[in-house]
Amino acid sequence: MTIRILSALERSKDQYGAACAEAKLDLLRRLARADLGSARAVRRLHELLCFLRAYPDDARLLAQVERMLAAFYLRADLKRAREALTDTGIAGTAIRYRFFWSTLRWLARRWPERVEIDRSESEVAAKLSAALPLLLSWAEAAALKQLDPPAFAAIDRLRARGESDAAFLARRIAAMPGDGFTREAFHDAIEPSYELKPGADTPARTRARHAAAPFAWQRGPLRRARPDLREELGRRFRAVRQLSPREGEQVIELARGAMVTRSRDLDAFAYGNARDVRLVDDGGGLAFALIGVIPERRQLIPSTCGYLILHNGVPIGYGEAFVIGRSATMTFNIFESFRGGEAARTFARTLAMVRQVFGAESFSLDPYQLGQGNDEAIASGAWWFYYKLGFRPLAAGARRLLRRELARMRADPGHRSSAATLRALAESHLFFDFDRSRTPGLPPLAEVGLRIGDALAARAGGERERVLAECSREAMRLTGLRSLRGFNAGERLAWQRWGPVVVFALPRVAGWRLAERRALARVIRAKGGSDESEFLVRFAAHPKLERALFGAR
């Protein structure tokens, strides 16, 4: 009986109108009192509640959904199925995952008593035994080397009362000499898995919502028709708001939690900059939380922005945009619970948002997004999803394979590309340009790095650090800077990273007009500023720099 009720709610979840709202409300009330007989049924109900929270008919239905989600962890059927529901992100259940260093640090800082190392992996125990002496005082390290206790026995003896083994490990690695990159490499080489035990405020999809996000009732049917990308790219969003550092941190935590509860990681969220978070209101309850990256983790030339897609404050997807001038390489993911909604339209609005906020007009999708090493994208037919929206391959092999597949589809309308064919198609990028007359392409970033590497090999020999320091001074001379006085830490780091670019990748920069060289200095300084928006503006306003780096495109 309860399964029939659950199935009826699944069929009606995305039907809207006064009668539909009443029917859904009645089904929800019956399911609130029901005892579901399997973990799968519990999960189905949870996914329905998350969907209805994101696309609510009216206030009465939303209030019922909120009551059920708030009490979901208390359900008897959930408690019985708790182990089977591990890794679902449902409140009251555990999450087990091989968290990367940045995520472990966040979890250990926020919930030090809730995150623990998975002790079942013998290989990890062996790596920990080798690593521990490097994390301790000289006397402790000497004792471990002499006694050679099992790794976890040593950690249990050394950790403080109330401190979990994972929190102990995170704190010891954080105290190591070096920088964030060396600590990250040290931790990730051990490859430990962790368990995040459920708590009242630990990450859970059940509780995931940004209350200050734009909101709108779902009065009509979902917009599932395939959009015209160029038309959508020309339609502006409603408003954009720069968030305070406090609200920015709340949004970053929401984004990190969205990853943790789905056993994923994203650098743009893990290294999010609370001073560089904006909320874009696209109307109808759709919004984008744009999250910039701290200076230490920014890429050399592209500007990186992570985005969390919100519908009525509920995270429904995420991605990243890597912007150089008018080009943007995109990633885009709609969470499984919401893939029956408005995925195509949401993607179109994502591109429109990136165009209007960052100035990009040419878009590309990298092979992983399309299915290279990504079974989820292969299973969903992601390549054809983007093709039907207007993206096209430029690689000759992909174009030949596309022509063959299109011919098969014309001959047999029921033809579907095999997984092997989709993997072959996904070997190269897909492209879309707002201007039909232009041929899109990828900026040759690797060539810049190779030019610098060749120059360092020829000039530095075994003294790369000395030559790199000379590059910084030479770049200052070329751009008319007398000193870095007044530069903050991020701006100094950007200058250090760009020094060899100026000296080795811009060989004719000495012949530029003084105003152009001084503008170059301002571009570089902006890369390390409080956010990367100024860098994007200054880079776009310096076409000579882009031509010098990449040639005519």
Side-chain angles (χ1 to χ4, degrees), residues 342-368:
E342 302 174 316
R345 179 182 178 275
T346 302
F347 176 66
R349 296 310 302 152
T350 302
L351 297 189
M353 175 270 297
V354 171
R355 178 178 182 245
Q356 292 155 23
V357 173
F358 300 112
E361 299 213 335
S362 181
F363 300 91
S364 63
L365 298 163
D366 70 24
Y368 178 82

Side-chain angles (χ1 to χ4, degrees), residues 4-28 31 48 51-52 55-57 61 218 220-222 224:
R4 287 201 298 271
I5 300 172
L6 191 60
S7 298
L9 184 59
E10 285 174 330
R11 290 191 299 271
S12 65
K13 69 173 185 178
D14 51 4
Q15 298 174 15
Y16 292 92
C20 295
E22 284 296 328
K24 281 186 269 190
L25 186 57
D26 176 63
L27 294 169
L28 284 169
L31 288 167
L48 286 165
F51 185 93
L52 292 171
Y55 297 90
D57 303 62
L61 184 135
Q218 188 68 36
L222 300 181
R224 292 194 170 101

